Amino acid sequence: MPEIKMDIYIIGVGGQGIGLLSEVIIRAADYAGFPVRGTDTHGLAQRGGTVSSCVRIGSHAHSALIRTGCADMVIALEKNEALRGLNSHLRDGGTLIYYDTQWQPLLVRLKKECLLKSEDISSECQCRNILEYQIAPTKLSNPKMQNIALLASIAKHNKILGITPLHYELALNDLLEGNKLENNLSLFRSLIAAL
Amino acid sequence: MKRLGDFLISPHGSTEIVMGNTAIVRGMIESGVRVVTSYPGSPTPEIAAAITAISKDKNPLYFEFSTNEKVATEVAFGASINGHLSTVFFKSVGLNVAADTFVQLGHMEVIGGMVIVIGDDPGANSSQNEQDNRHYARLAYVPMLEPSTPTEAYTMFKKAAQLSIERYMPVILRMTTHVCHAKEKVTFSSWTPLPLNHSSRFNVDNGPYIPLTTKLVLPLKRRALEKLAQFAADADTSSLNTVINNNNPLYGIITMGAPFQSLQDVLEETALKPDILKLGIIHPLPKQLVADFLRQHKEVKIVEELDDFIEQQVKALAYDMDISTKIIGKQDYEDWLNEYTPEKVSTILQKTWPHLLADKKPRIPLFHWSPRPAQLCPGCGHRSAFHAIKQALDPNDITVADIGCHTLGIMEPYNMGQVLLCMGHSSGTAAGLSLFNNSRKVVAFLGDSTFFHAGLPGIINAVFNHHNFTLILLDNGTTAMTGHQSHPGVGYNVNGPTEKITIRRVLDGIGITNIREIDAYAQAQLTEAVKAALTEKGFKVIIAKHPCMLKAMRERNAAGKPLPPSVEITTDCNQNYTCVSAFACPTFQHNDDGSIIVHKDLCIGDGSCKQTCPTKAILHKRPKKEDNS
Ligand code: SF4
Ligand code: SF4
């Protein structure tokens, strides 16, 4: 079996489909033959709070949780969460992939804090030698499929070495059925072809 | 699609990626469990999700959500003394509700076997405290096992069931949040279904089952202690405890559960690895095993999450057995707090043996990031209710929160709810607050599921003892916070339709006459109702009702029905920001130019915001023949 050590921290807002994204990566890693473990954080976060999930690929991982500052990759479904994940979990020299949408946090909506700018994220990434991928919002018919847009970009750019688009598709097949499967698969394939 | 319900009852062995909660259910099926009961609470609800994923006609488990944890424990107990292997599961603080029943179990011969699965919540991820339920095992003379991974959750459940059946004693399986939710590949054994034994095996000769008066209670307690002592003796050689020998005569660590996994992560970084005694049996302590481990090391550190439960016993044991090993337990209050994540364990080891690990300097962040607490969903009826109630209250009035989604009303900008203890406390606490208090009105909140769970005694007390406060029942027609489970008021249980026990009928039956029922979206009416109630004497109830919109939208989605269009902001907007700052549906967000955006990914188009805009600038184009529920 090939050696791999990849800790992926996934972060977003409750309701954005973090659970599916993380489960797809876990299963895809398993299809690729890697040992894998992970966990979601639930709590009260389901109600529009921050939700995160850890995916740990490789035999180095014992705890399901990734240590702060030790993730090799952070995948964020939203801009403010990207900054949060970048600071809490991403190691220097790691990779940040985020979907460039903004769900304003409470204090921003209450005008107690300022809006976050994409440049803030980029300058921090530059400072810390982090590879930054910003997935620009496409006209998705269903915002619930932004997670698939991220997945397609990870697959297309081969961001997790050893996991191929086929592995992701097998994972999707495990988890979804009917129309939902068809829609997600066709989006996944078309984005890979187009990106 | 891989169906959870299929592999859980497959007669063949398999390997599946599952979370700890799911793995337990396969353990139940292989062990021959027949009766499972629960009250929903994080981190355990996925156990119920897995059980109910099995098709009804093939499910070997009878399952119910009981009205609360105490009742759930009693149903499982009753089934067990009638010969059926049973399981009850609930969250950490659920054991407090169940405690009156639970503490008796160790005295009883549970002839069918009974496993109690507890989801403890170190770090209080989704609970009002992070209590350490290991103390309850000691209090009630009940053995406790603790897994550290989903695989162990599965194997230890089976072991707990087997031990319970053999010894007629209840056994606790203590899970914690990140064992419940951890996912990994688990290898399941094959399973041969056994025919259901319909005979009623309850027999008083298996008892006695009546613990009354000294004459009867003391022998029962003696038997419980004897059983526990036997369990402890067997624990010394049990494969549930493991020693990891790294040939280190200097340092040893005693640990268990999730902290064991964290510890292994941390020790990946060092060549100088201490030996490890990993306890799978948390209570009673395997004394000989611990003593041997102590004797083999100069210093032994105890890495245990939350309280010093093992530490106290190990120190007492060392004293009794004259062992001079240096035992290092908790070193400061921080060690008592929060989850033992890998970084926490790393910090603890650095304090204990500074030379063992490299010091990691925390990074100073360049930019501030905004916290994102949980909040009421877009369109939630509770938001409308709180917005309306707030208009009726004097800032000096006292509001009492309770547990449920409506607890989120304590957040800005609503600030509805200033004190919170536990499920169903609000009426009792409000009654106390209203005594010798003529200057400040007292308003208590309560949800519909909690009404049935633990709310009723406080309500009846308010009537019985003539208390003077207003109770607002926020009725969303489900147990929303834990994932939309049913409750007695909704007209169905996990097994099918039931007669609705409506809150209104119960309140009428109690003899409460001052009751108002209003749709939570009817904000003006609700404000008026609260204002009126506050001027009246005695105990007043307002039912502010609106179905949970998250549940409604999911059902709509599942049925393939499109969502109503989102609202729009018209040119009448004068940027007074009531929608975003006071009503604060998360859909409303700021634009750089000062205008308001309606976030299309969030808006569910229910229109409950429309009435809040002073300049009527929120436009809601409702499609024809559209209802808003
Ligand atoms: S789940 Fe339902 S009740 Fe809870 S906040 Fe969301 S809409 Fe409101
Ligand atoms: S219509 Fe949209 S903006 Fe208005 S309350 Fe409902 S979800 Fe919020």
Side-chain angles (χ1 to χ4, degrees):
Chain A
M1 198 187 293
E3 266 302 314
I4 186 170
K5 182 198 160 293
M6 184 80 171
D7 289 333
I8 306 169
Y9 188 73
I10 307 170
I11 187 165
V13 185
Q16 282 193 304
I18 290 261
L20 179 71
L21 181 58
S22 112
E23 181 100 19
V24 169
I25 297 176
I26 288 179
R27 282 173 185 269
D30 179 55
Y31 276 117
F34 300 129
V36 59
R37 60 176 69 237
T39 189
D40 294 342
T41 64
H42 292 258
L44 310 179
Q46 200 184 341
R47 306 283 166 268
T50 298
V51 247
S52 65
S53 183
C54 299
V55 178
R56 309 196 63 194
I57 310 172
S59 53
H60 67 292
H62 303 279
S63 171
L65 297 162
I66 300 171
R67 290 173 72 168
T68 50
C70 292
D72 302 293
M73 184 190 292
V74 165
I75 304 172
L77 282 103
E78 193 268 354
K79 201 176 346 197
N80 293 274
E81 299 312 313
L83 184 63
R84 194 189 320 279
L86 172 64
N87 273 290
S88 69
H89 279 78
L90 194 57
R91 65 168 168 81
D92 292 352
T95 304
L96 172 71
I97 304 177
Y98 74 97
Y99 196 84
D100 192 16
T101 179
Q102 170 125 258
W103 291 22
Q104 293 175 4
L106 181 66
L107 293 178
V108 174
R109 288 190 279 115
L110 297 181
K111 286 238 166 194
K112 297 190 177 178
E113 284 183 5
C114 303
L115 266 176
L116 171 70
K117 291 190 272 319
S118 301
E119 299 85 74
D120 296 345
I121 295 180
S122 300
S123 64
E124 169 137 7
C125 285
Q126 264 164 24
C127 224
R128 291 174 45 204
N129 195 21
I130 284 163
L131 262 179
E132 180 196 2
Y133 293 84
Q134 198 187 75
I135 311 298
T138 36
K139 284 270 158 274
L140 297 179
S141 59
N142 182 351
K144 296 247 143 48
M145 278 154 71
Q146 293 168 353
N147 50 7
I148 299 297
L150 278 166
L151 191 73
S153 142
I154 292 162
K156 167 92 177 183
H157 299 294
N158 200 13
K159 280 283 126 204
I160 311 172
L161 286 180
I163 305 185
T164 66
L166 178 67
H167 295 134
Y168 294 113
E169 289 199 11
L170 286 170
L172 281 166
N173 263 299
D174 271 3
L175 296 167
L176 301 172
E177 63 181 348
N179 273 344
K180 222 171 163 185
L181 176 65
E182 289 316 312
N183 295 341
N184 281 285
L185 271 183
S186 70
L187 176 67
F188 181 73
R189 288 176 186 151
S190 68
L191 286 174
I192 286 195
L195 278 169
Chain B
M1 180 160 135
K2 279 205 173 176
R3 283 180 196 285
L4 187 61
D6 290 345
F7 76 74
L8 283 173
I9 54 164
S10 161
H12 308 292
S14 61
T15 57
E16 302 290 342
I17 291 175
V18 287
M19 70 167 87
N21 281 341
T22 310
I24 289 182
V25 176
R26 175 70 188 190
M28 289 180 194
I29 285 167
E30 287 179 34
S31 303
V33 171
R34 286 296 182 202
V35 173
V36 188
T37 58
S38 178
Y39 183 81
S42 290
T44 62
E46 297 84 2
I47 301 177
I51 294 174
T52 51
I54 302 169
S55 79
K56 285 214 172 80
D57 49 323
K58 293 191 192 129
N59 199 336
L61 309 172
Y62 166 81
F63 175 61
E64 71 171 46
F65 279 123
S66 310
T67 35
N68 66 26
E69 294 86 350
K70 180 173 183 288
V71 178
T73 307
E74 287 149 1
V75 175
F77 165 69
S80 176
I81 59 170
N82 200 30
H84 300 289
L85 178 57
S86 67
T87 299
V88 59
F89 67 90
F90 39 69
K91 70 178 291 155
S92 56
V93 290
L95 188 51
N96 303 331
V97 180
D100 211 4
T101 299
F102 168 78
V103 293
Q104 295 304 125
L105 297 179
H107 291 59
M108 300 287 166
E109 295 285 278
V110 285
I111 58 159
M114 177 171 178
V115 182
I116 299 133
V117 178
I118 298 171
D120 270 9
D121 189 12
N125 296 287
S126 50
S127 316
Q128 65 267 31
N129 69 27
E130 55 165 7
Q131 72 183 47
D132 189 335
N133 276 328
R134 296 178 300 171
H135 297 297
Y136 269 112
R138 200 169 148 82
L139 175 75
Y141 320 115
V142 176
M144 176 181 266
L145 313 184
E146 179 166 353
S148 62
T149 60
T151 299
E152 283 188 3
Y154 159 71
T155 52
M156 281 196 191
F157 182 92
K158 292 204 290 183
K159 194 70 193 171
Q162 184 204 334
L163 289 165
S164 178
I165 293 168
E166 283 168 10
R167 296 163 195 237
Y168 290 2
M169 67 198 300
V171 177
I172 304 167
L173 186 75
R174 177 186 187 244
M175 308 276 285
T176 52
T177 301
H178 285 114
V179 178
C180 288
H181 293 153
K183 287 178 195 166
E184 67 176 1
K185 203 164 185 170
V186 180
T187 302
F188 296 126
S189 308
S190 59
W191 167 58
T192 321
L194 293 173
L196 180 57
N197 182 346
H198 281 281
S199 64
S200 168
R201 283 155 280 167
F202 175 67
N203 186 340
V204 288
D205 294 341
N206 291 326
Y209 289 114
I210 309 283
L212 276 189
T213 76
T214 316
K215 213 171 127 211
L216 275 171
V217 172
L218 299 192
L220 291 183
K221 178 172 169 186
R222 184 172 297 111
R223 190 178 59 199
L225 289 167
E226 281 165 4
K227 282 197 206 173
L228 203 63
Q230 185 57 50
F231 201 100
D234 298 343
D236 279 326
T237 53
S238 167
S239 59
L240 292 169
N241 304 311
T242 31
V243 175
I244 297 170
N245 189 351
N246 292 318
N247 292 313
N248 191 332
L250 209 54
Y251 296 148
I253 294 175
I254 301 178
T255 188
M256 69 290 300
F260 168 69
Q261 300 300 120
S262 298
L263 176 67
Q264 280 183 298
D265 256 26
V266 172
L267 293 182
E268 286 272 326
E269 291 166 18
T270 170
L272 184 80
K273 296 192 199 311
D275 295 340
I276 302 171
L277 168 57
K278 185 220 177 234
L279 297 175
I281 299 175
I282 301 302
H283 185 69
L285 193 69
K287 285 193 175 159
Q288 202 51 54
L289 184 67
V290 171
D292 291 346
F293 188 78
L294 290 178
R295 286 198 185 98
Q296 287 156 12
H297 298 94
K298 269 201 129 59
E299 295 185 15
V300 167
K301 168 74 184 172
I302 296 159
V303 177
E304 64 180 322
E305 211 163 41
L306 303 180
D307 299 352
D308 58 353
F309 181 76
I310 297 290
E311 177 187 337
Q312 294 281 345
Q313 297 182 62
V314 171
K315 284 180 173 167
L317 177 150
Y319 177 83
D320 286 346
M321 295 190 172
D322 228 352
I323 299 171
S324 59
T325 304
K326 183 177 177 193
I327 299 166
I328 312 163
K330 308 244 175 227
Q331 290 167 288
D332 55 36
Y333 290 140
E334 281 311 306
D335 290 357
W336 290 69
L337 303 176
N338 217 340
E339 259 183 292
Y340 273 32
T341 57
E343 52 262 53
K344 178 113 185 169
V345 169
S346 173
T347 311
I348 287 168
L349 284 190
Q350 261 158 19
K351 265 190 296 195
T352 313
W353 297 312
H355 53 285
L356 199 70
L357 303 168
D359 207 4
K360 280 204 176 143
K361 286 190 192 64
R363 202 181 33 242
I364 313 291
L366 289 183
F367 294 98
H368 167 79
W369 61 93
S370 188
R372 190 189 298 275
Q375 59 195 355
L376 298 167
C377 301
C380 177
H382 298 336
R383 174 176 292 104
S384 267
F386 287 131
H387 187 67
I389 295 163
K390 198 171 180 173
Q391 329 285 323
L393 296 184
D394 184 278
N396 202 30
D397 292 339
I398 303 173
T399 50
V400 183
D402 208 275
I403 290 187
C405 279
H406 58 89
T407 314
L408 296 171
I410 62 172
M411 312 255 311
E412 282 193 278
Y414 319 108
N415 304 313
M416 288 284 107
Q418 299 159 305
V419 51
L420 173 67
L421 288 175
C422 58
M423 292 279 284
H425 88 111
S426 62
S427 290
T429 301
L433 279 163
S434 67
L435 294 173
F436 305 109
N437 176 4
N438 292 325
S439 54
R440 303 165 76 184
K441 309 280 190 212
V442 182
V443 175
F445 301 111
L446 184 68
D448 42 340
S449 187
T450 315
F451 172 84
F452 295 103
H453 171 282
L456 270 172
I459 292 174
I460 294 175
N461 183 66
V463 178
F464 178 51
N465 287 310
H466 305 294
H467 283 295
N468 183 22
F469 67 94
T470 304
L471 173 67
I472 302 181
L473 272 159
L474 295 152
D475 182 355
N476 57 14
T478 182
T479 316
M481 193 56 144
T482 47
H484 305 121
Q485 293 83 359
S486 56
H487 66 61
V490 302
Y492 55 88
N493 64 19
V494 288
N495 299 308
T498 63
E499 189 69 37
K500 260 191 202 180
I501 304 172
T502 65
I503 291 178
R504 178 62 196 249
R505 263 205 298 146
V506 176
L507 295 175
D508 287 341
I510 293 169
I512 300 168
T513 46
N514 192 337
I515 306 175
R516 296 173 168 89
E517 243 180 311
I518 296 151
D519 188 305
Y521 276 7
Q523 293 171 15
Q525 255 176 289
L526 184 55
T527 305
E528 283 319 305
V530 178
K531 276 187 186 159
L534 289 180
T535 62
E536 294 157 5
K537 277 246 156 312
F539 178 55
K540 294 89 52 177
V541 180
I542 298 170
I543 306 175
K545 218 175 177 164
H546 201 85
C548 165
M549 293 310 277
L550 180 65
K551 180 165 180 274
M553 289 307 120
R554 282 187 182 160
E555 285 165 359
R556 207 173 167 131
N557 212 2
K561 279 201 244 165
L563 290 188
S566 34
V567 294
E568 287 161 39
I569 307 283
T570 67
T571 46
D572 291 338
C573 175
N574 70 351
Q575 301 188 354
N576 64 69
Y577 299 142
T578 306
C579 59
V580 62
S581 305
F583 184 64
C585 176
T587 295
F588 296 115
Q589 312 206 338
H590 294 284
N591 233 338
D592 284 335
D593 63 4
S595 64
I596 292 294
I597 327 166
V598 174
H599 201 305
K600 296 274 191 291
D601 291 359
L602 289 167
C603 182
I604 62 167
D606 57 273
S608 62
C609 49
K610 217 176 123 181
Q611 55 195 311
T612 66
C613 179
T615 56
K616 303 267 170 285
I618 303 174
L619 179 72
H620 185 221
K621 283 191 218 136
R622 216 190 276 182
K624 279 205 178 85
K625 276 202 275 164
E626 187 60 69
D627 66 14
N628 66 8
S629 63

Short mmCIF file of all heavy atoms in Angstrom, two decimals, chain B residues 221-246:
data_model
loop_
_atom_site.label_atom_id
_atom_site.label_comp_id
_atom_site.label_asym_id
_atom_site.label_seq_id
_atom_site.Cartn_x
_atom_site.Cartn_y
_atom_site.Cartn_z
N LYS B 221 -28.08 -4.65 48.52
CA LYS B 221 -26.85 -3.87 48.37
C LYS B 221 -25.63 -4.79 48.52
O LYS B 221 -24.65 -4.67 47.77
CB LYS B 221 -26.81 -2.75 49.41
CG LYS B 221 -25.54 -1.93 49.34
CD LYS B 221 -25.59 -0.71 50.24
CE LYS B 221 -24.23 -0.07 50.34
NZ LYS B 221 -24.19 1.02 51.30
N ARG B 222 -25.72 -5.71 49.49
CA ARG B 222 -24.60 -6.65 49.69
C ARG B 222 -24.36 -7.45 48.41
O ARG B 222 -23.23 -7.61 47.96
CB ARG B 222 -24.89 -7.58 50.87
CG ARG B 222 -23.72 -8.52 51.20
CD ARG B 222 -23.93 -9.31 52.49
NE ARG B 222 -24.02 -8.46 53.67
CZ ARG B 222 -25.13 -8.27 54.40
NH1 ARG B 222 -26.24 -8.90 54.07
NH2 ARG B 222 -25.13 -7.48 55.44
N ARG B 223 -25.45 -7.91 47.81
CA ARG B 223 -25.31 -8.70 46.58
C ARG B 223 -24.66 -7.85 45.46
O ARG B 223 -23.81 -8.31 44.71
CB ARG B 223 -26.67 -9.23 46.13
CG ARG B 223 -26.56 -10.25 45.01
CD ARG B 223 -27.91 -10.82 44.61
NE ARG B 223 -28.79 -9.76 44.16
CZ ARG B 223 -30.13 -9.87 44.08
NH1 ARG B 223 -30.71 -11.01 44.44
NH2 ARG B 223 -30.87 -8.87 43.67
N ALA B 224 -25.08 -6.60 45.38
CA ALA B 224 -24.52 -5.71 44.36
C ALA B 224 -23.01 -5.56 44.57
O ALA B 224 -22.22 -5.60 43.61
CB ALA B 224 -25.20 -4.34 44.40
N LEU B 225 -22.61 -5.42 45.84
CA LEU B 225 -21.18 -5.26 46.13
C LEU B 225 -20.40 -6.53 45.82
O LEU B 225 -19.28 -6.48 45.30
CB LEU B 225 -20.99 -4.87 47.61
CG LEU B 225 -21.44 -3.45 47.97
CD1 LEU B 225 -21.51 -3.26 49.48
CD2 LEU B 225 -20.50 -2.42 47.34
N GLU B 226 -21.02 -7.65 46.10
CA GLU B 226 -20.35 -8.93 45.81
C GLU B 226 -20.15 -9.10 44.30
O GLU B 226 -19.09 -9.51 43.84
CB GLU B 226 -21.19 -10.10 46.35
CG GLU B 226 -21.03 -10.31 47.86
CD GLU B 226 -22.13 -11.21 48.45
OE1 GLU B 226 -22.98 -11.75 47.69
OE2 GLU B 226 -22.13 -11.36 49.68
N LYS B 227 -21.19 -8.78 43.57
CA LYS B 227 -21.10 -8.91 42.10
C LYS B 227 -20.00 -8.00 41.57
O LYS B 227 -19.24 -8.35 40.68
CB LYS B 227 -22.43 -8.52 41.46
CG LYS B 227 -23.52 -9.54 41.52
CD LYS B 227 -24.56 -9.12 40.48
CE LYS B 227 -25.95 -9.59 40.78
NZ LYS B 227 -26.91 -9.02 39.85
N LEU B 228 -19.96 -6.79 42.12
CA LEU B 228 -18.97 -5.82 41.66
C LEU B 228 -17.55 -6.29 41.99
O LEU B 228 -16.63 -6.14 41.18
CB LEU B 228 -19.24 -4.47 42.33
CG LEU B 228 -18.69 -3.25 41.60
CD1 LEU B 228 -19.34 -3.10 40.23
CD2 LEU B 228 -18.92 -2.00 42.43
N ALA B 229 -17.37 -6.89 43.17
CA ALA B 229 -16.05 -7.39 43.57
C ALA B 229 -15.61 -8.51 42.62
O ALA B 229 -14.45 -8.57 42.20
CB ALA B 229 -16.10 -7.90 45.00
N GLN B 230 -16.54 -9.37 42.25
CA GLN B 230 -16.23 -10.45 41.32
C GLN B 230 -15.85 -9.85 39.96
O GLN B 230 -14.90 -10.29 39.31
CB GLN B 230 -17.45 -11.37 41.18
CG GLN B 230 -17.21 -12.61 40.33
CD GLN B 230 -16.04 -13.46 40.86
OE1 GLN B 230 -16.00 -13.79 42.04
NE2 GLN B 230 -15.08 -13.76 39.99
N PHE B 231 -16.60 -8.83 39.56
CA PHE B 231 -16.32 -8.16 38.28
C PHE B 231 -14.92 -7.58 38.31
O PHE B 231 -14.16 -7.68 37.35
CB PHE B 231 -17.36 -7.05 38.07
CG PHE B 231 -17.50 -6.64 36.63
CD1 PHE B 231 -18.56 -7.12 35.85
CD2 PHE B 231 -16.60 -5.77 36.03
CE1 PHE B 231 -18.70 -6.75 34.54
CE2 PHE B 231 -16.73 -5.40 34.71
CZ PHE B 231 -17.79 -5.88 33.96
N ALA B 232 -14.54 -6.97 39.45
CA ALA B 232 -13.21 -6.37 39.58
C ALA B 232 -12.12 -7.43 39.49
O ALA B 232 -11.08 -7.23 38.84
CB ALA B 232 -13.11 -5.61 40.91
N ALA B 233 -12.35 -8.57 40.14
CA ALA B 233 -11.35 -9.64 40.11
C ALA B 233 -11.15 -10.12 38.68
O ALA B 233 -10.01 -10.32 38.22
CB ALA B 233 -11.81 -10.79 41.01
N ASP B 234 -12.26 -10.29 37.95
CA ASP B 234 -12.15 -10.74 36.56
C ASP B 234 -11.53 -9.66 35.67
O ASP B 234 -10.90 -9.97 34.66
CB ASP B 234 -13.54 -11.12 36.02
CG ASP B 234 -14.14 -12.28 36.81
OD1 ASP B 234 -13.36 -12.98 37.50
OD2 ASP B 234 -15.36 -12.48 36.74
N ALA B 235 -11.72 -8.41 36.07
CA ALA B 235 -11.19 -7.30 35.26
C ALA B 235 -9.66 -7.34 35.17
O ALA B 235 -9.07 -6.90 34.18
CB ALA B 235 -11.64 -5.96 35.84
N ASP B 236 -9.02 -7.90 36.21
CA ASP B 236 -7.56 -7.95 36.22
C ASP B 236 -6.98 -8.71 35.03
O ASP B 236 -5.89 -8.41 34.57
CB ASP B 236 -7.08 -8.63 37.52
CG ASP B 236 -7.07 -7.65 38.67
OD1 ASP B 236 -6.79 -6.46 38.42
OD2 ASP B 236 -7.35 -8.06 39.81
N THR B 237 -7.73 -9.69 34.55
CA THR B 237 -7.22 -10.49 33.43
C THR B 237 -8.02 -10.27 32.15
O THR B 237 -7.83 -10.97 31.17
CB THR B 237 -7.27 -12.00 33.79
OG1 THR B 237 -8.61 -12.30 34.21
CG2 THR B 237 -6.30 -12.33 34.92
N SER B 238 -8.93 -9.30 32.18
CA SER B 238 -9.80 -9.08 31.01
C SER B 238 -9.02 -8.50 29.83
O SER B 238 -8.15 -7.65 29.99
CB SER B 238 -10.92 -8.13 31.40
OG SER B 238 -11.58 -7.69 30.24
N SER B 239 -9.38 -8.95 28.64
CA SER B 239 -8.74 -8.42 27.43
C SER B 239 -9.24 -7.00 27.11
O SER B 239 -8.77 -6.35 26.19
CB SER B 239 -9.03 -9.34 26.24
OG SER B 239 -10.43 -9.44 26.07
N LEU B 240 -10.20 -6.52 27.90
CA LEU B 240 -10.70 -5.15 27.68
C LEU B 240 -9.67 -4.10 28.12
O LEU B 240 -9.72 -2.95 27.70
CB LEU B 240 -12.00 -4.93 28.44
CG LEU B 240 -13.21 -5.73 27.93
CD1 LEU B 240 -14.37 -5.63 28.91
CD2 LEU B 240 -13.64 -5.24 26.56
N ASN B 241 -8.77 -4.52 29.00
CA ASN B 241 -7.68 -3.61 29.40
C ASN B 241 -6.42 -4.04 28.66
O ASN B 241 -6.18 -5.24 28.52
CB ASN B 241 -7.44 -3.71 30.90
CG ASN B 241 -8.70 -3.43 31.69
OD1 ASN B 241 -9.38 -2.44 31.45
ND2 ASN B 241 -9.04 -4.31 32.62
N THR B 242 -5.63 -3.09 28.19
CA THR B 242 -4.41 -3.49 27.47
C THR B 242 -3.20 -2.72 27.96
O THR B 242 -3.30 -1.55 28.34
CB THR B 242 -4.54 -3.21 25.96
OG1 THR B 242 -5.37 -2.07 25.76
CG2 THR B 242 -5.12 -4.38 25.20
N VAL B 243 -2.08 -3.42 27.95
CA VAL B 243 -0.82 -2.76 28.28
C VAL B 243 -0.01 -2.65 27.00
O VAL B 243 0.15 -3.62 26.27
CB VAL B 243 -0.03 -3.57 29.33
CG1 VAL B 243 1.33 -2.92 29.59
CG2 VAL B 243 -0.82 -3.66 30.63
N ILE B 244 0.44 -1.44 26.70
CA ILE B 244 1.33 -1.25 25.55
C ILE B 244 2.73 -1.07 26.10
O ILE B 244 3.03 -0.07 26.77
CB ILE B 244 0.89 -0.04 24.71
CG1 ILE B 244 -0.51 -0.31 24.16
CG2 ILE B 244 1.88 0.21 23.57
CD1 ILE B 244 -1.15 0.87 23.52
N ASN B 245 3.54 -2.05 25.83
CA ASN B 245 4.86 -2.09 26.44
C ASN B 245 5.89 -1.44 25.50
O ASN B 245 6.18 -1.96 24.44
CB ASN B 245 5.23 -3.55 26.72
CG ASN B 245 6.48 -3.66 27.54
OD1 ASN B 245 7.17 -2.66 27.77
ND2 ASN B 245 6.79 -4.86 28.00
N ASN B 246 6.41 -0.30 25.90
CA ASN B 246 7.46 0.36 25.11
C ASN B 246 8.82 0.24 25.80
O ASN B 246 9.73 1.01 25.52
CB ASN B 246 7.11 1.84 24.90
CG ASN B 246 5.90 1.99 23.98
OD1 ASN B 246 5.79 1.31 22.97
ND2 ASN B 246 4.98 2.89 24.33
#
